Amino acid sequence: MTIQPIPASITVAGPGLPKVAYGRGSYVWDSSGKQYIDGSSGPAVYCIGHGNEEVNAAIARQLERIAHGYRYNFTSDALEELTAIVAEKCGGRLKHVVFVTGGSEAVESCLKIALQYHAAKGQMGRRRFIARQRSWHGNTLGALSISGFLERRQAFEGALMPASHLPPANIYRPPNGADPEMTGEVCAQQLENEILRLGANNIAAFIFGPVVGAAGARVPAPPLYAQRIREICNRHGVLMIADEVMCGSGRCGTWRALAHDGVEPDIMSVAKGLAAGYLPLGAAIYSEKVSRVITPAHGGPMTGHTFSGHTACCAAGVAVQRIVERDELVDRVRQIGPKFRKLIAEATRGIAAVGDIPGRGFFIGIELVRDRETKAPFDAALKLYLRVRQQALENGLICYPVGGNVDGISGDCVILAPPYNASEDELREIVDKTAKSIRQVLAAISS
Ligand SMILES: Cc1ncc(COP(=O)(O)O)c(C=O)c1O
């Protein structure tokens, strides 16, 4: 197989992609018989690997009974069971769940629940959202409006709803040259400054990814950041929304990524790992505090779609979550995560371009820089991250490279997010092929 041409952008599917044939565990095969190890669970989705027979059987059983009981006519065993599982996994006051069919819809629902909350309180001025640059919340217009991802927004500018975008909370690139130790404090203060600048009575919610994925390459919130923003949101009556579409459902070693920081949001989104890609599923989850306000006023969240709470999708979610629980996979991710990161550090030692290896659990990024001292990125025109993706495919590895993490245009990262049940040999294979692919691409651009 020859290396396919580099696509113009990661936001559109490139030409000449291999045709997928089937998958088993951590491996995928294309129609030519070529095998790939799935080092990123695709886009951080396939958290229990491919072709799981238990999940397939659970879906088939549900389909035999009924595919979809429309939620305005019926509840179902699958819907009720998954609601109970998610509430139990979230713990605390996050007990209320609306199931949707993906991450963007989950985020969209979170935004609408926040608006409903303030409307129910008679605070119709609180319409604005504050988010961060280098963040990705989804491709629907609302979710795109709050996303800080230049390349994906550009074509829609002018039609997006107004939102504030604060600088990213990234300890490797602290704001305005701040002391890295102070990044959490400085970034939290930026939130409070923006709330005061716009007037708290105009702010609905602050939304952020506890560990940033597609737009920032696995950057976890700096220490104390989440606690400080929780205090600030409480002080100003602003709701806190945690977008855990990518980093949640156990990927970072706790079922809720923000549980690591000991912080509970008012509203949160999950999606990718919830049904592990077996069927499309996401959820918006909200707290007792929010429910106590919106339920008497509106009867519940006004975010329903035809397929919200789709029965077969919920059955897939139940089956996946039972496996995650039974096989103690979140504990496994927490325990093996540091070892996985160490493997990456060892395999990439000697590659001068590796600037940082941020992340947590099975959600690790490798940031490539032109100059380690100054942290200067490579020329964006090189599209280094896309070259790594192509080279990795050539080497039989699926990884998730992202670009633009430095200023929206420049910056190259490679994200690894293996299935939670990938064996240690498989983790080693993922890491070795990643390091090899990066070395090959760097050698090619310098020759
Ligand atoms: C943090 C986050 N939120 C929302 C989304 C959107 O999810 P989806 O692509 O399922 O609509 C993504 C997708 O990558 C994401 O990473």
Side-chain angles (χ1 to χ4, degrees), residues 13 18 25 30 40 117 149 173 186 209 223-224 374 377-378 380 382 394 415 419 425 437:
D30 73 17
S40 59
Y117 171 85
F149 200 139
R173 298 180 181 280
V186 171
L224 296 182
T374 63
F378 284 92
L382 282 172
E394 170 86 5
I415 291 167
D425 282 349
S437 305

Side-chain angles (χ1 to χ4, degrees), residues 79-360:
L79 176 67
E80 289 177 9
E81 201 172 333
L82 192 59
T83 304
I85 289 173
V86 169
E88 197 261 320
K89 292 283 169 206
C90 287
R93 284 155 292 191
L94 291 161
K95 293 186 179 9
H96 303 270
V97 189
V98 190
F99 290 106
V100 292
T101 53
S104 303
E105 236 187 79
V107 168
E108 206 73 37
S109 298
C110 291
L111 302 180
K112 290 183 74 188
I113 290 168
L115 294 172
Q116 260 189 274
Y117 171 85
H118 294 297
K121 291 182 90 175
Q123 299 184 331
M124 288 303 286
R126 287 189 181 264
R127 305 281 91 180
R128 192 178 176 106
F129 293 96
I130 303 179
R132 296 193 311 211
Q133 297 158 11
R134 309 296 99 67
S135 64
W136 180 241
H137 299 292
N139 243 335
T140 50
L141 282 175
L144 187 61
S145 298
I146 51 153
S147 296
F149 200 139
L150 199 63
E151 190 188 6
R152 296 184 185 181
R153 288 175 59 103
Q154 262 165 352
F156 307 97
E157 289 297 357
L160 301 176
M161 68 184 187
S164 303
H165 290 97
L166 306 176
N170 180 349
I171 209 159
Y172 182 63
R173 298 180 181 280
N176 305 327
D179 177 353
E181 300 282 304
M182 294 300 292
T183 303
E185 190 61 42
V186 171
C187 292
Q189 195 52 52
Q190 287 170 335
L191 170 63
E192 186 153 43
N193 294 348
E194 184 66 359
I195 293 172
L196 295 173
R197 187 181 77 79
L198 294 166
N201 289 341
N202 295 313
I203 311 300
F206 172 61
I207 178 161
F208 75 116
V211 181
V212 176
R218 304 326 194 237
V219 176
L224 296 182
Y225 174 73
Q227 290 93 323
R228 284 281 290 118
I229 59 169
R230 180 68 276 182
E231 288 161 20
I232 292 166
C233 286
N234 288 350
R235 188 153 57 238
H236 297 287
V238 169
L239 292 174
M240 178 200 253
I241 305 176
D243 181 358
E244 299 212 358
V245 164
M246 205 170 194
C247 62
S249 314
R251 177 143 298 285
C252 293
T254 48
W255 202 88
R256 272 196 315 110
L258 205 51
H260 172 91
D261 304 275
V263 170
E264 191 175 81
D266 300 300
I267 310 176
M268 72 180 261
S269 55
V270 290
K272 294 175 184 266
L274 187 59
Y278 281 82
L279 284 176
L281 186 67
I285 304 161
Y286 55 101
S287 67
E288 277 294 314
K289 166 177 125 180
V290 173
S291 173
R292 271 200 303 270
V293 173
I294 65 169
T295 307
H298 305 131
M302 299 163 76
T303 61
H305 302 255
T306 300
F307 296 128
S308 300
H310 189 283
T311 323
C313 298
C314 288
V318 169
V320 168
Q321 292 307 317
R322 279 192 188 151
I323 291 169
V324 168
E325 172 76 24
R326 183 196 64 203
D327 297 348
E328 301 180 347
L329 294 180
V330 180
D331 289 345
R332 181 171 193 268
V333 168
R334 187 168 54 250
Q335 279 154 20
I336 299 188
K339 192 168 171 186
F340 177 52
R341 192 162 174 213
K342 197 160 157 241
L343 278 181
I344 298 172
E346 282 165 7
T348 57
R349 189 169 297 142
I351 305 180
V354 172
D356 192 23
I357 307 178
R360 201 158 71 220

